[in-house]
Amino acid sequence: DVKVTQSSRYLVKRTGEKVFLECVQDMDHENMFWYRQDPGLGLRLIYFSYDVKMKEKGDIPEGYSVSREKKERFSLILESASTNQTSMYLCASSTPRDSQETQYFGPGTRLLVL
Amino acid sequence: QQPVQSPQAVILREGEDAVINCSSSKALYSVHWYRQKHGEAPVFLMILLKGGEQKGHDKISASFNEKKQQSSLYLTASQLSYSGTYFCGTESHNAGNMLTFGGGTRLMVKP
């Protein structure tokens, strides 16, 4: 059974704090993604990675960075959290298109920045 | 640019049918449909790869009109378990499995 796990389901942080969100997948997938989900806006891509140490900006990368030191782990970093980063954060992973597979999502981390 | 989903919300009684539409301003390679129940991760429903392709399982099916850059999700004889938020994710040519998601359609099925 495929599995994408995220380190926390709920997180409360203060403005200016550095925040780490961790995502681990056990499917040996090459691609990993970080999204944020806000009501009415759906899922918006922050960053993605197609290999270890490789990263690409998504649609809304400002205020975020990522790290992929190992294939199974993809971290999202908020260098200095702000209240407008309060959101649900979803991680996903996938294999390349050849296998015509789609993205598998983790359960999400609901982040509140005070 | 995000694809546009319509309607944004729909309430059904058990047994009724619904159609959810997804329109893109870009030429599409594929359309992916997901359902997300409250507090849970989005779950993959199906992928449509070719213009005109139609797919389905159980009483949920979808079509993909490549020329119109649209996809529709059809829910027939809805069940309570169909409640949730439905998202379409569109993939443009040469996007490398990168999906752009619509804003979601919230579906509620009542007994």
Side-chain angles (χ1 to χ4, degrees):
Chain A
D1 200 17
V2 298
K3 203 159 188 184
V4 179
T5 56
Q6 295 183 228
S7 50
S8 307
R9 292 300 302 271
Y10 301 94
L11 213 50
V12 181
K13 295 291 180 183
R14 296 210 172 271
T15 302
E17 278 192 82
K18 191 168 185 176
V19 182
F20 292 87
L21 303 182
E22 303 282 338
C23 175
V24 178
Q25 50 95 2
D26 66 357
M27 297 166 285
D28 201 36
H29 282 173
E30 285 81 359
N31 303 327
M32 295 188 75
F33 307 82
W34 273 107
Y35 294 92
R36 65 176 281 175
Q37 183 177 21
D38 301 288
L41 296 176
L43 294 138
R44 293 180 292 166
L45 182 65
I46 304 171
Y47 267 97
F48 68 100
S49 167
Y50 52 88
D51 203 350
V52 176
K53 296 192 186 294
M54 305 302 286
K55 60 185 179 183
E56 292 286 340
K57 291 180 180 179
D59 298 320
I60 50 164
E62 296 79 18
Y64 303 95
S65 62
V66 290
S67 171
R68 193 156 179 212
E69 296 297 317
K70 293 184 178 181
K71 190 176 185 180
E72 67 271 18
R73 189 180 296 269
F74 192 35
S75 303
L76 180 70
I77 303 153
L78 288 68
E79 294 288 342
S80 177
S82 63
T83 54
N84 63 12
Q85 292 179 309
T86 291
S87 187
M88 170 71 92
Y89 290 87
L90 287 162
C91 173
S93 71
S94 73
T95 56
R97 182 188 296 156
D98 293 351
S99 60
Q100 294 184 359
E101 288 191 17
T102 192
Q103 295 181 19
Y104 296 89
F105 284 87
T109 296
R110 191 169 288 281
L111 173 67
L112 172 63
V113 182
L114 300 173
Chain B
Q1 196 166 2
Q2 285 182 283
V4 176
Q5 284 186 237
S6 62
Q8 288 187 309
V10 59
I11 300 173
L12 300 174
R13 294 221 172 263
E14 256 186 308
E16 291 181 338
D17 302 338
V19 181
I20 299 171
N21 299 304
C22 175
S23 295
S24 174
S25 58
K26 295 181 180 180
L28 300 176
Y29 173 80
S30 68
V31 179
H32 305 226
W33 284 98
Y34 289 80
R35 176 172 62 210
Q36 184 181 30
K37 292 189 177 285
H38 183 69
E40 298 180 12
V43 173
F44 171 70
L45 293 176
M46 64 188 79
I47 178 175
L48 299 111
L49 290 169
K50 298 176 188 175
E53 185 177 35
Q54 286 193 281
K55 272 193 174 180
H57 54 83
D58 290 335
K59 292 177 180 157
I60 300 176
S61 61
S63 64
F64 178 23
N65 187 323
E66 198 174 5
K67 282 185 180 177
K68 290 186 179 179
Q69 297 164 187
Q70 289 176 348
S71 178
S72 295
L73 186 72
Y74 307 94
L75 299 102
T76 307
S78 58
Q79 305 167 17
L80 295 176
S81 61
Y82 288 3
S83 293
T85 301
Y86 290 79
F87 292 99
C88 67
T90 57
E91 182 185 7
S92 303
H93 291 272
N94 302 317
N97 197 229
M98 201 172 97
L99 298 179
T100 303
F101 286 91
T105 296
R106 191 165 176 181
L107 177 76
M108 182 183 295
V109 181
K110 291 184 169 181

